[in-house]
Amino acid sequence: MSAVDTSEKLTASAASRLRRTAWYQQERFTRLWAMVALGVLLALVTGEQGNTRDIFFSVKGTFTGGNLWVCLAITVGVWALREFAADAVKGVAAKAKSGVGGPVGAVQARFQADKRLRWGLIVLVLVLALTIPSGLARQWQTLLVDQIAIFALLAIGLNVVIGWAGLLDLGFFAFFAVGAYSTAYWTGHLPVQPPVVLNNFWVIPIAVVTCLLTGLLLGAPTLRLRGDYLAIVTLGFHEIIYLVAKNADGITGGPQGARLIPDFSVDFAGIKYEWSIKPLPYWYLLVFFIVLVIVLFSRLENSRVGRAWTAIREDEIAAAANGVDTVRFKLMAFAIGASTSGVAGVIFTSKYGYINPEVFPLLQSILILAYVIFGGMGSIPGVLAGAAVLVWLPEALKDYVDPADRYMYLGALLVIMMIYRPQGIWPSRRRQRELKMAEEGIGDADAMSEPAGGKF
């Protein structure tokens, strides 16, 4: 029997199995059941509050009121829009591309090929980032600095570890704590006094180096681990940092933390300026460091180091067999990814002037991971967009949703996103290709949801 005949028989067999699949087991309806379950969950968490006199009061109130049907209408509506309307939109787009001259395709091709167009867009975004915040209300300026910009820096660093090297890190926020306590130490506000008290600007390179070394300490004992095992170790690393900060009273100040940490200040060549509690000066400072980090990391992504990380993420065993020093490059991923936390920790601590262990809960590590995945793993514009959207959403819901329910809506958005667009808002081209191959059953290890290098 020839190879062609064998292939035709396998294809016919697969088609026969597909025809025998019940309608309710088809992928489209599997997504429908998931969206219905999500609607019921939304109704439960947004419905009536519990009652000590009747333990079923909340459940009865939820399933007998109109809130359940509103939630179901929203989730099922999203399903219907995605399953049916999206196909029509794709058809129109395909026709537009196949039209005379292919205008859509021509514009996309030119954007990819024309460096001037790309640089023009980058300059436009930078100008908007520097000008628009000055016209915003104080509340939104504070949000930009305290959360969006800080978490954008952290997300860029975690993207190196997860998006480029494929190493699952659930304790990344611990590096932020290291940067924050480095600031408190070198400005002389911990029980242990430094050899010399430094200006906050001089603390930044020291905090970066400290986070680099901490990343090496985390990476060294975890080199043989992958996937879930590595995630558990990094989770333990976060807890170790948190408990040391909380219990080492003679070093970190214990639960009281550090207070009265000074603001940034400049006194050079007759120029004197001191940052105050106003958010805009810190915003400009953060934009400068974000742009600097993006430029450096973009160069790194396209270098030999970036290609080595990609090889490790795709298949670590194959990368090692082809001469990639996986030990060295994994250590570099942990260290370089952690470096942005040093900058973020110094700026955050200087702005607030106060830190304690409760500022660094485990939930923040999970949120940073969500920002990277939601925005698009491996894509720097994606992780920036993910951090901005997911930080902005709970604040935008503040006037309309009970504070206890805000993160529930965030969770619902993440569920919908993972069902219908797992590659993220702005994915890297490689990630898009992997997921497309996975849908066709020919994806590599990462696309098929296995640890890099196969199962451990």
Side-chain angles (χ1 to χ4, degrees):
M1 184 182 292
S2 67
V4 174
D5 294 335
T6 304
S7 176
E8 288 178 352
K9 283 191 173 183
L10 289 172
T11 305
S13 175
S16 176
R17 286 197 303 272
L18 185 60
R19 284 194 297 271
R20 290 198 302 268
T21 302
W23 65 270
Y24 55 83
Q25 293 178 322
Q26 294 176 12
E27 187 177 344
R28 171 173 288 177
F29 291 100
T30 300
R31 288 194 289 264
L32 173 61
W33 309 139
M35 296 303 286
V36 169
L38 179 61
V40 173
L41 181 62
L42 282 172
L44 284 170
V45 296
T46 59
E48 298 285 347
Q49 297 296 319
N51 191 314
T52 55
R53 296 186 299 274
D54 183 358
I55 59 174
F56 294 107
F57 177 79
S58 176
V59 176
K60 287 187 291 186
T62 297
F63 287 102
T64 55
N67 186 50
L68 173 65
W69 302 109
V70 171
C71 293
L72 285 174
I74 292 172
T75 55
V76 174
V78 169
W79 172 83
L81 236 109
R82 172 60 180 81
E83 300 296 338
F84 302 108
D87 293 338
V89 172
K90 285 179 182 177
V92 172
K95 288 180 181 178
K97 285 183 179 181
S98 61
V100 179
V104 176
V107 171
Q108 290 176 340
R110 182 178 177 186
F111 182 79
Q112 292 294 333
D114 194 341
K115 288 186 177 180
R116 290 177 299 177
L117 192 60
R118 291 204 304 271
W119 277 106
L121 180 61
I122 292 171
V123 171
L124 176 62
V125 170
L126 186 58
V127 169
L128 292 176
L130 293 174
T131 56
I132 288 180
S134 60
L136 298 177
R138 180 69 174 267
Q139 167 198 348
W140 292 105
Q141 291 178 357
T142 303
L143 180 74
L144 277 173
V145 173
D146 294 357
Q147 297 186 54
I148 292 179
I150 292 291
F151 279 105
L153 262 178
L154 296 173
I156 292 171
L158 185 59
N159 184 56
V160 172
V161 181
I162 292 181
W164 293 349
L167 306 171
L168 184 56
D169 188 349
L170 294 182
F172 191 77
F173 205 65
F175 297 115
F176 181 67
V178 172
Y181 275 99
S182 297
T183 310
Y185 172 72
W186 287 103
T187 54
H189 289 80
L190 287 181
V192 180
Q193 291 300 307
V196 58
V197 176
L198 299 176
N199 181 282
N200 300 56
F201 278 108
W202 291 111
V203 175
I204 290 178
I206 296 176
V208 169
V209 172
T210 305
C211 288
L212 281 168
L213 294 175
T214 309
L216 291 175
L217 287 174
L218 172 62
T222 61
L223 294 175
R224 295 183 61 254
L225 301 177
R226 307 184 196 123
D228 303 337
Y229 304 97
L230 179 61
I232 294 299
V233 169
T234 55
L235 195 67
F237 172 72
H238 183 283
E239 285 303 299
I240 290 171
I241 296 294
Y242 171 78
L243 290 174
V244 167
K246 190 172 184 177
N247 296 310
D249 295 29
I251 300 175
T252 64
Q256 300 299 319
R259 300 173 182 272
L260 302 177
I261 298 168
D263 295 315
F264 280 95
S265 61
V266 174
D267 188 358
F268 179 75
I271 300 173
K272 292 185 179 181
Y273 182 78
E274 184 173 347
W275 275 249
S276 62
I277 61 172
K278 293 181 180 179
L280 274 183
Y282 283 97
W283 167 251
Y284 298 135
L285 187 63
L286 280 163
V287 168
F288 168 77
F289 280 110
I290 288 172
V291 171
L292 179 63
V293 167
I294 289 174
V295 170
L296 294 176
F297 282 17
S298 297
R299 300 286 294 177
L300 193 63
E301 181 186 12
N302 299 313
S303 68
R304 180 174 175 269
V305 174
R307 291 194 295 272
W309 285 338
T310 300
I312 292 170
R313 184 174 67 86
E314 299 289 345
D315 194 323
E316 186 176 337
I317 295 174
N322 283 277
V324 176
D325 188 347
T326 57
V327 172
R328 182 162 66 94
F329 286 110
K330 285 169 72 174
L331 280 174
M332 287 178 65
F334 274 114
I336 294 173
S339 63
T340 63
S341 301
V343 180
V346 174
I347 296 177
F348 178 87
T349 308
S350 301
K351 182 179 184 300
Y352 271 94
Y354 166 74
I355 55 168
N356 70 4
E358 303 308 321
V359 177
F360 314 105
L362 180 61
L363 174 63
Q364 300 292 359
S365 288
I366 308 302
L367 283 175
I368 299 170
L369 177 61
Y371 300 157
V372 173
I373 296 174
F374 184 84
M377 288 194 297
S379 167
I380 291 178
V383 299
L384 293 175
V389 171
L390 294 187
V391 170
W392 165 82
L393 181 62
E395 188 68 22
L397 295 174
K398 183 177 67 173
D399 297 330
Y400 310 101
V401 178
D402 187 272
D405 295 336
R406 284 184 216 161
Y407 282 97
M408 179 274 303
Y409 288 92
L410 186 64
L413 177 61
L414 289 173
V415 170
I416 294 171
M417 192 73 176
M418 292 306 101
I419 292 173
Y420 289 113
R421 192 173 174 81
Q423 67 268 36
I425 295 176
W426 190 325
S428 64
R429 282 178 289 180
R430 179 177 286 113
R431 185 65 177 167
Q432 281 181 302
R433 185 171 61 252
E434 287 174 356
L435 289 168
K436 184 178 180 181
M437 293 170 66
E439 290 175 358
E440 297 170 356
I442 56 174
D444 56 16
D446 184 70
M448 300 297 287
S449 299
E450 292 181 5
K455 293 181 179 179
F456 185 75

